[in-house]
């Protein structure tokens, strides 16, 4: 399989909320990320945030190692001034784009060659203050987008459209790699496909300040009550399909933009520890509450 060339892309998803790592698992994970990242992850207050960040980092290392067919231990990642991860110390990686997102229950990764891309995931969460929430977010959407958001008859369906559009905006801004400075109210998305409950939706289009952006393409998904959006701008010098090489398992490649579900065994397959085992990372992680709701529950019980 080494050195093979196939025209596909990488789209991975991992449910970190259902993952309960053992001491051995968590120790290995910390061995397989760079020391500064292990330290950063250890500072999260809640387990869910530590787990999502860890899985995101491990997915990046996995795809870079397997795409470029280089030893896992030799993968060096750094962050831009805006905090976006990039591959450090190599001159042959400019054509390769990757991005991760984690929110709700899922960490997701999108990667492919000869393109710029960004990915975002948002969980559909119910609210009791929909009207005031929408008022707070008024400037982030165009008039046409608000008409589309408010077109369903129920708050739940309106929120579903809201998070779908927000996901699209975030994916585009992340593809640009410019951080939070971009005024997303300038973006207007047109959604010909009203519902995306099944399959991959690819007919969404974008205008910025009223100007069409035909070079940008969007893939939308709905996974377990989560909206996922991938923004892709392809290099005009390449074919419409995306070239992927290396040792990525064929069953983990995406042919139509669909996301492949990974489990922990997939994540740690072919890893190589960068450091010796350090149980202090487990001792730091194990006592933490899973999320704020568990923390409040534990606090109430103690009182």
């Amino acid at each position: 399989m080494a050195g093979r060339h196939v025209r596909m892309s990488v789209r991975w998803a991992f449910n970190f909320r259902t993952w309960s790592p053992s001491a051995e698992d968590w120790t290995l994970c910390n061995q397989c990320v760079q020391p500064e990242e292990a330290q950063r992850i250890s500072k999260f207050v809640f387990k869910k945030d530590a787990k999502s960040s860890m899985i995101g980092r491990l997915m990046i290392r996995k795809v870079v190692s397997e795409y470029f067919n280089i030893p896992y231990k030799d993968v060096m990642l750094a962050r831009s001034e805006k905090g976006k991860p990039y591959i450090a110390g190599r001159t042959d990686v400019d054509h390769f784009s990757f991005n991760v997102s984690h929110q709700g229950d899922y960490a997701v990764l999108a990667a492919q060659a000869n393109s710029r891309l960004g990915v975002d995931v948002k969980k559909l969460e119910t609210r009791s203050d929909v009207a005031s929430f929408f008022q707070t977010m008024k400037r982030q959407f165009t008039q046409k987008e608000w008409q589309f958001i408010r077109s369903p008859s129920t708050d739940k369906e309106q929120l579903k459209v809201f998070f779908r559009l927000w996901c699209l905006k975030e994916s585009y801004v992340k593809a640009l790699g410019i951080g939070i400075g971009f005024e997303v109210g300038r973006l207007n998305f047109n959604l010909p496909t009203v519902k995306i409950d099944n399959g991959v939706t690819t007919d969404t289009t974008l205008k910025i300040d009223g100007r069409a952006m035909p070079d940008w393409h969007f893939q939308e998904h709905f996974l377990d009550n989560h909206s996922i959006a991938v923004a892709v701008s392809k290099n005009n010098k390449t074919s419409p399909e995306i070239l992927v090489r290396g040792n990525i398992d064929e069953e983990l490649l995406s042919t139509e933009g669909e996301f492949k579900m990974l489990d922990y065994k997939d994540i740690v397959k072919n890893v190589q520890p960068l450091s010796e085992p350090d149980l202090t990372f487990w001792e730091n992680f194990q006592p933490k509450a899973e999320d704020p709701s568990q923390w409040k529950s534990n606090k109430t019980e103690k009182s």
Side-chain angles (χ1 to χ4, degrees):
M1 189 178 293
R4 85 195 194 292
H5 289 67
V6 291
R7 293 188 179 278
M8 297 182 185
S9 57
V10 178
R11 303 285 186 270
W12 291 342
F14 183 97
N15 189 326
F16 60 83
R17 291 303 292 265
T18 61
W19 177 46
S20 298
S22 65
E24 181 181 4
D25 295 339
W26 193 248
T27 301
L28 176 61
C29 288
N30 279 277
Q31 288 180 262
C32 294
V33 297
Q34 291 162 218
E36 66 273 17
E37 288 298 323
Q39 290 295 333
R40 180 184 65 84
I41 292 168
S42 72
K43 295 177 182 178
F44 283 109
V45 174
F46 299 110
K47 283 182 178 178
K48 73 175 183 66
D49 299 315
K51 291 190 296 181
S52 64
S53 184
M54 179 65 76
I55 290 300
R57 207 64 180 178
L58 291 171
M59 286 198 295
I60 293 175
R61 297 190 65 84
K62 177 181 176 68
V63 75
V64 171
S65 172
E66 295 180 1
Y67 176 88
F68 287 102
N69 210 10
I70 60 175
Y72 190 93
K73 291 170 63 174
D74 292 344
V75 175
M76 290 297 297
L77 301 173
R79 291 181 182 270
S80 69
E81 291 183 0
K82 301 293 185 179
K84 188 173 183 178
Y86 67 91
I87 307 166
R90 295 185 67 93
T91 59
D92 59 344
V93 298
D94 290 344
H95 69 291
F96 186 69
S97 183
F98 62 86
N99 197 225
V100 296
S101 179
H102 35 79
Q103 198 272 335
D105 302 335
Y106 281 92
V108 297
L109 173 141
Q112 61 193 55
N114 305 319
S115 65
R116 300 169 70 187
L117 63 75
V119 64
D120 196 60
V121 58
K122 290 286 184 293
K123 185 176 183 178
L124 173 59
E125 297 177 348
T126 58
R127 303 178 66 103
S128 59
D129 60 341
V130 174
S132 60
F133 174 62
F134 283 174
Q135 184 63 32
T136 301
M137 301 297 291
K138 184 177 180 180
R139 296 179 59 186
Q140 311 304 321
F141 297 86
T142 66
Q143 184 176 353
K144 288 184 178 180
E145 288 175 331
W146 277 119
Q147 290 174 353
F148 194 72
I149 290 170
R150 292 192 168 101
S151 58
S153 58
T154 66
D155 286 352
K156 181 179 179 180
E157 289 301 314
Q158 288 184 13
L159 283 167
K160 189 173 181 178
V161 178
F162 173 91
F163 285 116
R164 179 184 172 188
L165 281 166
W166 189 250
C167 219
L168 284 162
K169 289 173 184 272
E170 287 285 327
S171 70
Y172 175 76
V173 173
K174 291 181 71 177
L176 297 183
I178 57 176
I180 61 175
F182 191 93
E183 296 181 10
V184 295
R186 298 169 55 198
L187 308 177
N188 185 86
F189 284 93
N190 180 49
L191 312 178
T193 300
V194 177
K195 294 187 177 182
I196 57 168
D197 292 338
N198 296 301
V200 182
T201 298
T202 59
D203 58 357
T204 297
T205 57
L206 170 65
K207 289 184 178 180
I208 302 180
D209 299 328
R211 181 168 60 91
M213 305 295 289
D215 292 338
W216 284 91
H217 306 273
F218 299 88
Q219 300 167 347
E220 295 186 81
H221 316 254
F222 196 70
L223 174 66
D224 290 345
N225 220 30
H226 292 67
S227 284
I228 306 175
V230 181
V232 183
S233 178
K234 297 177 182 176
N235 186 328
N236 292 330
K237 296 180 181 180
T238 63
S239 64
E241 295 178 298
I242 303 303
L243 185 65
V244 175
R245 68 181 187 190
N247 288 322
I248 299 176
D249 290 342
E250 193 159 348
E251 63 269 21
L252 298 184
L253 290 169
S254 175
T255 56
E256 303 294 337
E258 74 280 7
F259 273 79
K260 303 289 186 177
M261 291 295 301
L262 271 61
D263 58 24
Y264 177 69
K265 290 182 180 179
D266 295 319
I267 292 291
V268 297
K269 184 179 180 180
N270 300 324
V271 300
Q272 296 174 320
L274 282 64
S275 60
E276 294 298 316
D278 185 348
L279 286 176
T280 61
F281 286 109
W282 170 252
E283 293 165 356
N284 167 275
F285 173 82
Q286 195 276 332
K288 294 178 178 179
E290 176 68 20
D291 54 31
S293 64
Q294 187 184 72
W295 178 80
K296 290 178 182 178
S297 175
N298 293 343
K299 189 175 181 181
T300 301
E301 290 176 1
K302 290 179 180 179
S303 62

